[in-house]
Amino acid sequence: MEDIPNPPELQPMNGGNRFWRNLLYTFLGTTISIILTFGTTAIIQQHHKAQERKLTAMMVMGNIEQYAQRLEDVHKELSWRDTLGTMLLAIPVDSLDDPKYSGMIENVNMVAAVTMFSYDKTVEQIFSNSIETWKNMGSFQFIDNVGKCFSAMNHIREDYMSFAQDLQDGIDEVKGNRDAYDGKSLQSKILHNMKFRSTVRQVHNRATYYLYLAEYIRYLNAINMQLMDVTEDEVLQFINEREEEVKVDRPIPMQQDYLKPVLVRDSLPDFHTWIQKHKV
């Protein structure tokens, strides 16, 4: 009888190798998942930061353009005061009390009634608070140029307010010491004040000066736009969108609707009764 051959020996399954292989796969899967999760989050965060930087840049450039527009308004306001002031200074000093000029000199206060130059520094503060982010992006040229813009804007406003105050001081000096000036009426006395007359003569140059400054500010802002790869039309559109009126189902409150009649002394309640009732 033929011998039956022995079955081949089978290698036992190595349970230890399979465990480590599964563990490796699990580790790789987890690692890849973490990388993808954090990588995606980082990309989203970078995108949000980029959007925030662009919004800040648009706010800055829009703010600077609006400042230039305000300077153009100052030019217009001073231009007609230049005409008025020239007419008033053309009146012979010895004829300022002549009745035929009374209708003219009564408007002398309007020469000095220039509007205040308000400047909201909110955008400047927002940019200052994000300056480190801009530095980390290497946007040093943009930082420097925006700094020049804000510095110029602050200086221009302070200079304008100083000039406006000089005009008003010329009038206040006369009001505070009328006897020190020639003339019969307050208006003619103001026009006798040499300091006031000297300041009024500056109005013409001031009017053209602020028109020039508006263009100078726009020149600096054009550099900002170039650095940020933004067009002037985009900045103007951004301004228009921000200035669009938001309509609400609520009327604008009018102060006169909240005015109450002045208290009449005889209608007041008894003091002792009233005070006891309202004591805390």
Side-chain angles (χ1 to χ4, degrees), residues 180-194:
Y181 299 92
D182 295 332
K184 296 179 180 179
S185 66
L186 174 62
Q187 289 76 18
S188 67
K189 288 178 179 291
I190 291 172
L191 286 170
H192 273 96
N193 183 355
M194 292 298 105

Side-chain angles (χ1 to χ4, degrees), residues 176-236:
N177 190 11
R178 300 191 184 197
D179 294 338
Y181 299 92
D182 295 332
K184 296 179 180 179
S185 66
L186 174 62
Q187 289 76 18
S188 67
K189 288 178 179 291
I190 291 172
L191 286 170
H192 273 96
N193 183 355
M194 292 298 105
K195 178 180 178 180
F196 178 77
R197 295 178 70 91
S198 176
T199 309
V200 171
R201 291 191 184 97
Q202 298 177 31
V203 173
H204 176 78
N205 289 337
R206 285 277 176 170
T208 57
Y209 176 58
Y210 292 117
L211 188 61
Y212 152 72
L213 288 176
E215 289 307 306
Y216 176 71
I217 290 295
R218 284 199 173 100
Y219 165 75
L220 292 178
N221 208 23
I223 298 176
N224 293 330
M225 296 177 197
Q226 182 71 23
L227 292 171
M228 290 293 102
D229 193 24
V230 174
T231 65
E232 184 178 358
D233 288 339
E234 288 177 305
V235 173
L236 293 175

Side-chain angles (χ1 to χ4, degrees), residues 133-150:
T133 302
W134 290 100
K135 287 181 179 179
N136 292 335
M137 291 299 296
S139 304
F140 296 108
Q141 283 184 294
F142 184 69
I143 294 172
D144 291 342
N145 203 66
V146 170
K148 289 180 183 178
C149 291
F150 286 142

Side-chain angles (χ1 to χ4, degrees), residues 28 38 72 86 128 159 161 182 187-188 209 225 228 263:
L28 291 175
F38 282 92
E72 289 179 330
T86 302
S128 297
D159 180 65
M161 294 302 295
D182 295 332
Q187 289 76 18
S188 67
Y209 176 58
M225 296 177 197
M228 290 293 102
L263 295 177

Side-chain angles (χ1 to χ4, degrees), residues 52-87:
E52 290 174 1
R53 285 193 300 272
K54 183 176 181 180
L55 176 60
T56 301
M58 292 298 289
M59 290 175 64
V60 167
M61 293 181 287
N63 180 256
I64 295 171
E65 168 57 29
Q66 288 177 307
Y67 189 96
Q69 294 175 6
R70 182 68 186 94
L71 287 175
E72 289 179 330
D73 292 338
V74 169
H75 161 74
K76 294 176 183 177
E77 292 167 3
L78 290 181
S79 291
W80 75 264
R81 286 182 170 84
D82 176 31
T83 302
L84 174 60
T86 302
M87 290 179 175

